Amino acid sequence: MKIKLVKSLIGSKKDQIATAYSLGLKKIGDCTEQPDNAATQGKVQKIIHLIEVEKD
C-alpha cells in the first residue's frame, strides 16, 4: 500500500507523530510504500486523518 502524508504533524499527539515517523513520513508530501499487513493497518488507523492511502 502507498501512504502519503497530506496534513502537518504540528499539533498532533506525540504517539501520532511517532507513528508517522515509523512509517517513514516526516514532511507533507512524503510518500512511502508499506506491506499490507495487520501492523501497518493499525498504524494507518491511528493517523488516518493525516494521510492518504492507496491500496494496490
Side-chain angles (χ1 to χ4, degrees), residues 17-40:
I17 295 170
T19 301
Y21 278 21
S22 73
L23 289 170
L25 306 170
K26 294 183 173 138
K27 296 193 279 188
I28 294 175
D30 281 356
C31 292
T32 184
E33 195 142 340
Q34 299 289 330
D36 191 3
N37 57 29
T40 306

Side-chain angles (χ1 to χ4, degrees), residues 33-53:
E33 195 142 340
Q34 299 289 330
D36 191 3
N37 57 29
T40 306
Q41 292 285 342
K43 291 177 184 180
V44 163
Q45 287 305 310
K46 191 165 193 78
I47 60 168
I48 192 69
H49 60 288
L50 301 173
I51 60 174
E52 283 181 354
V53 179

Side-chain angles (χ1 to χ4, degrees), residues 5 7-13 16-17 20-21 25-26 50:
L5 187 63
K7 289 194 175 181
S8 175
L9 295 173
I10 295 173
S12 297
K13 296 178 182 176
Q16 292 173 337
I17 295 170
Y21 278 21
L25 306 170
K26 294 183 173 138
L50 301 173

